[in-house]
Amino acid sequence: MSTDKNLVVALSGGIGGAKLALGLSRVMPAADLVVVGNTGDDFEHLGLSISPDLDTLMYALAGLDDPQRGWGRRDETWTFMTALSKLGGETWFQLGDGDLATHVERTRRLRHGESLSAITADLCARLGIAARVLPMTDDTAQTILFTTEGPLDFQDYFVRLRCEPEVLKIEYEGAADAGVHPDVLAALEDPALRAVVICPSNPFLSINPILAVGTMRGAIANCAAPVVAVSPIIGGRAVKGPTAKLMTELGRRATAAAVAQLYVDLLDGYVIDHADAHDAAAVADLGIPVAPAHTLMRTLEDREALARHVLATADALPKKTA
Amino acid sequence: MSTDKNLVVALSGGIGGAKLALGLSRVMPAADLVVVGNTGDDFEHLGLSISPDLDTLMYALAGLDDPQRGWGRRDETWTFMTALSKLGGETWFQLGDGDLATHVERTRRLRHGESLSAITADLCARLGIAARVLPMTDDTAQTILFTTEGPLDFQDYFVRLRCEPEVLKIEYEGAADAGVHPDVLAALEDPALRAVVICPSNPFLSINPILAVGTMRGAIANCAAPVVAVSPIIGGRAVKGPTAKLMTELGRRATAAAVAQLYVDLLDGYVIDHADAHDAAAVADLGIPVAPAHTLMRTLEDREALARHVLATADALPKKTA
């Protein structure tokens, strides 16, 4: 490890990625961590602009996340939803009373012309988060799932229909024309860049939307630092959410190796769970060094240990494309 | 009293008026009661369209009002405000978590092109309110207070500055060009109209804004049924709010008689409190019959008793202009 390289860029979706992002922010100077959050699931609901993954990241990094539910805020109340239900409002998407403050404030500021990245930076600062959280873009890039029940946006698919429709293909509408935030590009080109970490998030719904934004994928492929991903698959299953079901529907196997295949042009190293040791050879066949670890993050110590392992893996690796 | 006259139109602001409106809705068939609510204080806050008087009426008529605070909902929680404060949002206007559901749902529906009256009717129906609550207009008519600190809208004056600036004059911006809801005009012209009740609300901030809307004042003056007001002044003081201070600043005495003077072209009868018996002669000098009563509404029984007294007063009166 060269001690002059201090900057880490992490790509993350919601819950799984946010756990590793929190771990990273605790085992390195948090101010040197840039977390790029997926906004392909952002949507408007009840007239409010909702950024589920940015919020999950923000709450996790601020220690405000609910450890039981895995989304939203701890010590939450639900008076709004109860009252809304009695008024005949839409209740399929649960919004906690404290969580609402984020959506109302963000929506107000977006309407006043502030960028999502500026708002996110300010909200994070207010909550005492030292890491930088940046949306993958300030433009619109919407993940659309083409299913047997027609095209669906993420929340329709994920929350309202509980991932039940079979997915035929996924598109990232607007992503190619969307701009990567200049600070993300600057970090990727920074000589001080130590590593790019692809967090254990859903590849199709969280990571690919980020990689699809403008010049993002190329900038990561060309960056001088090692790129290390952590498999979201543990023992052939997703820890949470529809990753395994989706991969199967999209004609892939639900394995750690199949996820690595999706990032083969980017990866200099890959962290799989000990439970997936049988996949190591398949990953190695892709030309990607494998660094097995305990990847299930139940406790804060798990998050920190995995973060340390990921950084150590990156520090020990040569840059493949260098 | 002629039993074929069943329809009552009540003009109301917030808390005081809402108490009498509730009383009326309980001592007559509620479906025959049309409550016209002041919307001169409506404003946008945090990107939400807020109609304070309509909400106070709605919560009072649905039995959801907070009996201690006098505004908002009972059994309210405040998680949103606490979270908003930590995010650096504006907190001078308190919004309860349950109350927020009303504002979010109303705002969403207004943006979808529904009228305020249609939304209000639907929300009231959802809450089981049999009386009809109508905004004074579906157009914009804004109460502006010209003060020693410049022009202020109502919430700035009332909530943020706690009624402290001296008021020089009040204007109802847009009111003359605003349209009275056709159902209000129809009720005022209905042969079944039994009475028009001017509730004990602030004359300058609640009742005059209603009377200033389009053809409202003329329609009330010309209606065939008696018009009866209840004084908001008890013993020379306002029960709540800045009525007395405002009247003094605007060059009037803070008396029941001075309020009657404001409606002299409309009134066929006037209900004053027993504590203001000394004012009866001054009101009679205006040519308005006086019907003293106990007007302080602490209990539900008080509200019902005053409502009965007001209706009996109207039933016993000849129409002045008839």
Side-chain angles (χ1 to χ4, degrees):
Chain A
M1 168 185 177
S2 45
T3 50
D4 56 328
K5 307 240 186 238
N6 59 306
L7 211 56
V8 172
V9 173
L11 315 188
S12 176
I15 174 73
K19 286 180 180 176
L20 182 57
L22 175 63
L24 287 167
S25 78
R26 294 174 59 92
V27 303
M28 58 174 278
D32 293 332
L33 175 63
V34 176
V35 184
V36 182
N38 169 43
T39 59
D41 308 340
D42 287 17
F43 72 124
E44 188 171 304
H45 182 59
L46 306 177
L48 301 171
S49 296
I50 300 180
S51 297
D53 286 357
L54 293 182
D55 292 346
T56 297
L57 280 165
M58 189 166 78
Y59 297 151
L61 290 168
L64 294 173
D65 56 316
D66 184 290
Q68 265 73 51
R69 271 198 318 276
W71 55 271
R73 297 172 61 119
R74 66 177 66 208
D75 304 324
E76 187 60 288
T77 59
W78 302 92
T79 310
F80 171 83
M81 288 308 296
T82 305
L84 186 65
S85 166
K86 296 208 171 115
L87 295 176
E90 280 187 64
T91 54
W92 61 270
F93 192 83
Q94 290 284 309
L95 291 168
D97 298 330
D99 188 34
L100 256 179
T102 306
H103 310 313
V104 167
E105 184 66 0
R106 176 195 293 121
T107 304
R108 184 187 71 76
R109 293 173 69 164
L110 284 170
R111 289 226 174 90
H112 275 71
E114 285 186 73
S115 68
L116 182 59
S117 56
I119 298 165
T120 304
D122 184 55
L123 297 184
C124 285
R126 302 267 184 185
L127 296 178
I129 298 169
R132 287 201 64 189
V133 179
L134 281 162
M136 65 188 198
T137 181
D138 277 326
D139 303 323
T140 300
Q142 180 88 35
T143 299
I144 307 286
L145 298 103
F146 293 82
T147 74
T148 45
E149 301 189 17
L152 298 170
D153 72 18
F154 177 78
Q155 302 300 336
D156 257 5
Y157 168 76
F158 189 74
V159 182
R160 198 169 61 80
L161 299 172
R162 294 185 187 79
C163 308
E164 280 160 17
E166 186 188 340
V167 175
L168 308 171
K169 68 169 176 171
I170 296 178
E171 287 187 5
Y172 309 111
E173 214 172 84
D177 298 325
V180 179
H181 195 285
D183 291 358
V184 175
L185 293 179
L188 291 171
E189 288 167 9
D190 196 313
L193 186 66
R194 178 180 174 189
V196 175
V197 177
I198 299 181
C199 290
S201 295
N202 186 309
F204 290 105
L205 297 177
S206 298
I207 302 300
N208 274 357
I210 300 175
L211 296 173
V213 174
T215 58
M216 184 83 79
R217 191 168 196 123
I220 292 171
N222 294 328
C223 80
V227 180
V228 176
V230 177
S231 170
I233 299 281
I234 300 183
R237 296 170 56 183
V239 177
K240 206 176 160 77
T243 305
K245 175 172 183 284
L246 257 182
M247 292 192 72
T248 309
E249 289 170 0
L250 293 170
R252 301 179 182 264
R253 295 176 57 219
T255 64
V259 173
Q261 173 75 54
L262 297 171
Y263 312 137
V264 69
D265 54 322
L266 303 175
L267 294 187
D268 300 297
Y270 192 52
V271 175
I272 62 173
D273 196 84
H274 292 301
D276 298 294
H278 56 277
D279 259 17
V283 178
D285 282 349
L286 298 168
I288 306 169
V290 179
H294 171 70
T295 65
L296 189 63
M297 293 174 281
R298 289 193 198 280
T299 66
L300 189 56
E301 290 68 34
D302 291 342
R303 292 162 174 71
E304 293 176 358
L306 183 57
R308 274 192 210 94
H309 176 79
V310 168
L311 293 180
T313 299
D315 292 344
L317 283 170
K319 176 77 186 169
K320 186 173 65 173
T321 56
Chain B
M1 167 186 178
S2 46
T3 49
D4 57 326
K5 308 241 186 237
N6 59 307
L7 211 55
V8 172
V9 173
L11 314 187
S12 176
I15 174 72
K19 286 180 180 176
L20 182 57
L22 175 63
L24 288 167
S25 78
R26 293 174 60 91
V27 303
M28 58 174 278
D32 293 332
L33 175 64
V34 176
V35 184
V36 182
N38 169 42
T39 59
D41 308 341
D42 287 16
F43 72 124
E44 189 171 304
H45 182 58
L46 306 177
L48 301 171
S49 296
I50 299 180
S51 297
D53 286 357
L54 293 182
D55 291 347
T56 297
L57 280 166
M58 189 166 76
Y59 297 152
L61 291 168
L64 294 174
D65 54 316
D66 185 290
Q68 265 73 52
R69 273 196 318 275
W71 55 271
R73 297 173 60 120
R74 67 178 64 209
D75 304 323
E76 187 61 288
T77 60
W78 302 92
T79 310
F80 170 83
M81 288 308 296
T82 306
L84 186 65
S85 165
K86 296 208 170 115
L87 294 176
E90 281 187 63
T91 53
W92 61 271
F93 192 83
Q94 290 284 308
L95 291 168
D97 298 330
D99 188 33
L100 257 179
T102 306
H103 311 312
V104 167
E105 183 65 2
R106 176 195 291 120
T107 304
R108 185 188 70 77
R109 294 174 67 164
L110 284 171
R111 289 225 175 90
H112 275 72
E114 285 186 73
S115 68
L116 182 58
S117 55
I119 297 165
T120 304
D122 184 54
L123 297 184
C124 285
R126 302 266 184 187
L127 296 179
I129 297 170
R132 288 200 64 188
V133 179
L134 281 162
M136 65 188 199
T137 181
D138 278 325
D139 304 323
T140 300
Q142 180 89 34
T143 298
I144 307 286
L145 296 104
F146 292 83
T147 75
T148 44
E149 300 188 20
L152 298 169
D153 72 19
F154 176 80
Q155 302 301 336
D156 257 6
Y157 167 76
F158 189 75
V159 182
R160 197 171 61 82
L161 299 171
R162 296 186 187 78
C163 308
E164 280 159 17
E166 186 187 341
V167 175
L168 308 171
K169 67 171 176 168
I170 296 178
E171 287 186 5
Y172 310 111
E173 213 171 83
D177 298 325
V180 179
H181 195 285
D183 291 357
V184 175
L185 293 179
L188 291 172
E189 288 167 8
D190 196 314
L193 187 66
R194 178 178 175 189
V196 175
V197 177
I198 299 180
C199 290
S201 295
N202 186 309
F204 291 104
L205 297 177
S206 298
I207 302 300
N208 274 358
I210 300 175
L211 296 173
V213 174
T215 58
M216 184 83 79
R217 191 169 195 123
I220 292 171
N222 295 327
C223 81
V227 180
V228 176
V230 177
S231 169
I233 299 283
I234 300 183
R237 295 170 57 184
V239 177
K240 205 175 162 78
T243 305
K245 174 172 183 285
L246 255 183
M247 292 192 71
T248 310
E249 289 170 0
L250 293 171
R252 301 180 182 262
R253 294 176 56 221
T255 63
V259 174
Q261 174 74 55
L262 296 171
Y263 311 138
V264 68
D265 54 323
L266 303 176
L267 294 188
D268 300 297
Y270 191 53
V271 175
I272 62 173
D273 195 84
H274 292 302
D276 297 294
H278 56 277
D279 257 18
V283 178
D285 283 349
L286 299 168
I288 305 170
V290 178
H294 171 70
T295 64
L296 190 62
M297 293 174 282
R298 289 194 198 279
T299 65
L300 189 56
E301 291 68 35
D302 291 341
R303 292 161 175 73
E304 293 177 357
L306 183 58
R308 273 192 211 96
H309 176 79
V310 169
L311 293 180
T313 299
D315 292 343
L317 283 170
K319 176 77 187 171
K320 186 172 68 175
T321 56

